[in-house]
Amino acid sequence: MAMATPIHDASQGDYRFAQQCGADAVTAENVAVAYRLDGADRPIERVGGGWSEFGIEAGTVLEDAADVEAMRELLAGRDPHSGEQLVRPKVAVAPEAQLPAAAFVEALEAAAAKRGLSLAELVAADPWSVKRVGRLERGLLRDGEHHRAPVADLSRVAAAAGIDPRRVYGLPQWKAAWDQREARVRTGVMGYDVTFDRPKGISVLQGLADPVVAARMEEIHLEAVRESVAALQGWAGYGMAGHHGDGRRAQRVDTSGFVATMTVHRTARPVDGSPGDPHLHTHVMVANMARCSDGKWRTIAAGGRDLMRHVPAVGELYRALERNKLREELGVQFERDAVTGRWDVVGVPDTLKRTFSRRQQQILAVTGQGATPAQSRTAGRATARGKVASTPASERQSWHERALEAGHTPAQVVAAALGREPGGPAAGPAPGGPDQGPPNLDALITAVWDPEHGVTAHAKTVTRAKVLAHVAGALGAGLPSVAFLEAVTDRVLADARAVALPEGGPAHMTNAGRYTSADLVAAEETITASAEWRLRDFSGHVHLKTSIRAEREWERKKGFRLSAEQREVVHRLTFVPHGIDTVVGVAGAGKTTIMSATRAIWESAGHKVEGAATSAVAAAGLRAEAGIDSGTVASLLRRIETGRGLDGVGVLVLDEAATVDDRALAAIVTEAARTKTKIVAIGDPMQARAVGAGGAFARVHEIV
């Protein structure tokens, strides 16, 4: 896969110059020498077409401290030879030149009240100050007491208002900020680190293989990275010219390409003072600048957004290219994990992969299961340790010893993965290569549009960029080139199971075409059609007199009365005879109280009431608080599939209905139409999203 990290300061760039994962801090003077010692590390390589603008060839390596400093200059947006600023960096007022805004606005309000004016009227002599006061008010609403404003801005507003800001803050605090009023800090993105990371099984195989095979596996990795970076350059290596906004659109401009470097890390961070586990990965650091076809230097990829959009696609592309090369050259076979969906090497035992996953286990011991990516990153930083002096030979020896300690013979593991006898020649190219075309194109298309695991399993609308990623992931070891991926993706999108949508969003971005799947379109049509033709079909209808009588009895037993708004909802749900109805309200608005009352009314009229929710917790809440016998949506769908369905159920209450995906909702409304069951969907589409591809709840609410 691939990950992308925006680089905001020089220290982030320096880490990408280090030749070992977890290396100590580096400087321009020592970084270019470190990777030469003992031949332990691979030189940092230049990649991208933009190097030609400086008379430098892509594919060459950083030789010395001067080369490292040149890349630092490029990250800063400067010409590495002349120091000329080619791309102007984004800057902001330094924190030390800002003051808390709350006290200042309070002083303005006091002055305005004293004169019987509004804040705008107070500073009306200076139109700029009128706008700035509005921004101060909005900032306080957004950030509260944490909102700060530049001292120079406060000084101008104070002059327009006729107040002395030194009295607001005190002379020492005001003077300290005023003396720094010209201070600025860089806030823009200097570059992007795109990290190409392979599955654990491939790294373990390379770590245990003999030096010749290991060296070729590393070259294959780098070939796949270079091809993937070239694809990313084609997708995102453009600039934008002109103003965007106020009814105008900036125009996309071609460039000569990326200015980037490629740094190889062979191991994970060290654990327990021994060499890190085998974990080959490559950092590609892309400077946020490119020379456009009109001769001007600009930032890349529409503010970097298009680069970030393509990271999943380029990551899946890289892995598929590497799988194909390993399969074709060395006979390595791959299988896809049924749970994670990830491809990995056949023949490398899971127990051995865990043996060489100490860093992951170290982080997991801190975070526990189910940690978020942010929590894992925090734990990773907290447990990070400096580099351990090692060479490829000492690393291989350490890995072989640990494999033996774990009960695995390295030679036998390598032989099994390469399809040969221990010590014998590799099996060679596997049959059914990519020159025969994609293996079973229809099966591939079916996998891409699969409702449970395909590209629209969790998103109703996808871009071509997302489809590219999914196709590359589904291709296994049959992807020989970027052109092949593009061609197969075109076939996938031309299939009847794909539905092209009207243009929307930033059309200047690459692979921005929008698509959905035919089964989702059919599901939405089923839901909306059912909501429309079941209007006033008298499902779950209760006569008004019966409803009022049952409502009063419910209030007597509960010991309190419904509010006027709650009563209105109760009468609508029980008396207005829609086959599908909705209740929208934020948490704490009394929805369960309403459903408790309506349940009592429906049951008084002889209707059986059941409930369902996406989570077991919500179903239990509906049962406990509203007295409605409830289960999960998943269990309801199983009932429908097995034939019992909603027979005998007069009213079905769907709690958290905005989180029910459209495919599931379509199955439920179809079954409810068969049994004449009234559906009452409760939810808030503004606060919760469907677990799968959803959105029909909001449309149903509009209809009813």
Side-chain angles (χ1 to χ4, degrees):
M1 66 177 183
M3 299 181 294
T5 304
I7 296 172
H8 293 279
D9 58 67
S11 64
Q12 288 179 282
D14 286 345
Y15 173 78
R16 277 77 189 177
F17 293 132
Q19 293 298 289
Q20 293 186 34
C21 188
D24 298 329
V26 296
T27 66
E29 288 69 32
N30 67 29
V31 69
V33 179
Y35 61 66
R36 294 298 187 188
L37 299 178
D38 302 319
D41 299 295
R42 180 178 291 273
I44 298 172
E45 180 180 329
R46 299 181 178 96
V47 291
W51 285 105
S52 62
E53 300 294 343
F54 307 103
I56 301 173
E57 191 174 338
T60 57
V61 301
L62 305 190
E63 296 282 355
D64 50 30
D67 286 346
V68 175
E69 188 57 40
M71 187 60 189
R72 280 198 176 105
E73 288 287 287
L74 288 164
L75 284 172
R78 294 189 290 264
D79 187 305
H81 301 316
S82 67
E84 177 190 358
Q85 192 73 52
L86 301 176
V87 176
R88 186 170 57 190
K90 288 184 178 180
V91 295
V93 176
E96 55 267 28
Q98 299 183 50
L99 291 169
F104 185 78
V105 172
E106 286 178 6
L108 289 178
E109 290 173 341
K114 187 175 181 179
R115 302 177 201 176
L117 302 173
S118 67
L119 289 185
E121 291 169 338
L122 180 68
V123 297
D126 180 10
W128 180 90
S129 292
V130 174
K131 293 181 180 179
R132 192 64 183 90
V133 166
R135 286 171 54 200
L136 286 171
E137 291 179 308
R138 291 192 295 274
L140 286 171
L141 283 173
R142 182 184 65 246
D143 306 327
E145 296 292 324
H146 300 290
H147 186 63
R148 297 170 67 85
V151 66
D153 289 6
L154 299 179
S155 176
R156 180 167 173 176
V157 174
I163 66 172
D164 185 350
R166 293 172 296 184
R167 293 188 175 181
V168 176
Y169 295 102
L171 183 59
Q173 185 179 11
W174 177 263
K175 186 177 185 304
W178 183 256
D179 289 346
Q180 297 295 320
R181 63 188 180 280
E182 301 297 334
R184 297 293 184 270
V185 292
R186 181 166 183 160
T187 60
V189 175
M190 303 175 72
Y192 303 90
D193 169 28
V194 184
T195 305
F196 294 87
D197 184 18
R198 56 173 25 170
K200 176 59 72 175
I202 303 179
S203 285
V204 171
L205 175 59
Q206 180 176 324
L208 299 181
D210 65 72
V212 174
V213 172
R216 182 57 194 142
M217 290 183 69
E218 184 166 310
E219 281 299 332
I220 285 174
H221 164 80
L222 294 176
E223 289 170 6
V225 170
R226 293 186 192 104
E227 291 177 42
S228 300
V229 172
L232 184 61
Q233 178 177 266
W235 292 332
Y238 61 86
M240 298 297 295
H243 178 73
H244 196 83
D246 303 322
R248 290 181 289 173
R249 284 191 176 185
Q251 299 299 311
R252 175 169 168 155
V253 186
D254 291 336
T255 73
S256 54
F258 288 160
V259 180
T261 57
M262 188 167 73
T263 305
V264 178
H265 288 167
R266 291 194 177 103
T267 67
R269 284 184 179 271
V271 175
D272 299 330
S274 62
D277 295 325
H279 179 60
L280 184 71
H281 57 285
T282 296
H283 294 274
V284 175
M285 184 165 58
V286 185
N288 189 20
M289 58 183 294
R291 189 174 187 271
C292 296
S293 56
D294 60 4
K296 294 183 179 180
W297 287 85
R298 297 183 175 90
T299 57
I300 59 173
R305 294 187 300 277
D306 217 3
L307 184 146
M308 302 299 283
R309 284 177 64 248
H310 280 90
V311 166
V314 79
E316 291 292 353
L317 168 64
Y318 146 70
R319 287 196 168 191
L321 289 171
E322 184 176 45
R323 289 193 299 268
N324 186 68
K325 293 173 186 289
L326 290 171
R327 175 177 175 268
E328 287 292 293
E329 278 198 41
L330 301 176
V332 179
Q333 297 294 308
F334 294 87
E335 62 184 354
R336 200 168 197 174
D337 188 283
V339 177
T340 65
R342 297 171 184 165
W343 296 92
D344 209 343
V345 176
V346 175
V348 178
D350 288 341
T351 54
L352 187 57
K353 295 177 193 176
R354 287 193 289 272
T355 296
F356 290 114
S357 299
R358 293 179 302 166
R359 178 64 179 148
Q360 181 182 8
Q361 293 164 12
Q362 184 184 44
I363 294 173
L364 193 61
V366 175
T367 63
Q369 294 287 348
T372 65
Q375 291 169 332
S376 296
R377 287 193 294 269
T378 300
R381 288 190 293 269
T383 57
R385 297 294 178 265
K387 65 182 179 181
V388 174
S390 61
T391 65
S394 65
E395 289 170 350
R396 282 197 301 273
Q397 180 180 352
S398 170
W399 297 334
H400 277 66
E401 291 172 354
R402 287 175 50 209
L404 289 169
E405 290 172 1
H408 299 280
T409 304
Q412 292 178 348
V413 172
V414 173
L418 298 183
R420 67 184 185 188
E421 295 297 322
D435 56 315
Q436 300 180 18
N440 196 337
L441 181 61
D442 186 70
L444 173 67
I445 296 173
T446 299
V448 171
W449 298 114
D450 179 72
E452 292 187 17
H453 306 290
V455 70
T456 57
H458 301 289
K460 200 164 189 174
T461 302
V462 295
T463 62
R464 189 174 188 273
K466 287 189 177 181
V467 179
L468 278 166
H470 213 87
V471 170
L475 273 171
L479 178 58
S481 66
V482 178
F484 186 88
L485 173 62
E486 297 270 12
V488 173
T489 300
D490 288 340
R491 296 281 296 275
V492 169
L493 293 175
D495 189 83
R497 284 163 281 193
V499 179
L501 299 173
E503 181 181 301
H508 60 269
M509 290 190 179
T510 309
N511 297 314
R514 298 164 61 248
Y515 299 85
T516 189
S517 55
D519 73 306
L520 273 176
V521 173
E524 184 172 323
E525 289 175 348
T526 296
I527 295 165
T528 55
S530 186
E532 288 170 348
W533 66 258
R534 292 197 68 193
L535 290 173
R536 299 190 177 278
D537 73 346
F538 281 83
S539 298
H541 177 254
V542 180
H543 192 278
L544 186 57
K545 288 184 178 180
T546 303
S547 176
I548 293 173
R549 184 167 57 249
E551 175 192 313
R552 289 173 178 170
E553 178 62 19
W554 178 87
E555 288 180 328
R556 186 186 64 78
K557 289 181 179 179
K558 292 291 183 179
F560 66 88
R561 295 176 61 82
L562 296 170
S563 69
E565 186 178 13
Q566 289 174 325
R567 197 181 309 279
E568 182 180 351
V569 176
V570 168
H571 289 171
R572 176 173 61 82
L573 292 177
T574 57
F575 181 70
V576 178
H578 294 332
I580 300 178
D581 213 332
T582 59
V583 178
V584 174
V586 298
K591 296 188 295 293
T592 53
T593 298
I594 290 171
M595 297 321 301
S596 176
T598 52
R599 186 263 311 157
I601 294 170
W602 280 316
E603 289 180 345
S604 73
H607 298 296
K608 182 181 179 182
V609 183
E610 289 190 5
T614 52
S615 70
V617 172
L622 191 61
R623 187 184 311 112
E625 297 176 29
I628 298 174
D629 185 24
S630 304
T632 63
V633 168
S635 64
L636 173 60
L637 292 174
R638 286 194 295 271
R639 277 173 49 185
I640 294 173
E641 290 170 3
T642 56
R644 185 165 62 91
L646 292 172
D647 286 331
V649 178
V651 179
L652 175 69
V653 177
L654 276 179
D655 198 10
E656 297 184 341
T659 67
V660 180
D661 71 76
D662 286 358
R663 295 181 178 98
L665 190 56
I668 293 170
V669 300
T670 298
E671 172 66 7
R674 181 187 72 84
T675 58
K676 292 282 288 183
T677 301
K678 180 185 183 76
I679 293 178
V680 176
I682 309 170
D684 181 6
M686 299 302 293
Q687 290 195 352
R689 297 183 61 184
V691 176
F697 173 82
R699 177 68 185 118
V700 170
H701 182 64
E702 292 175 5
I703 292 171
V704 303

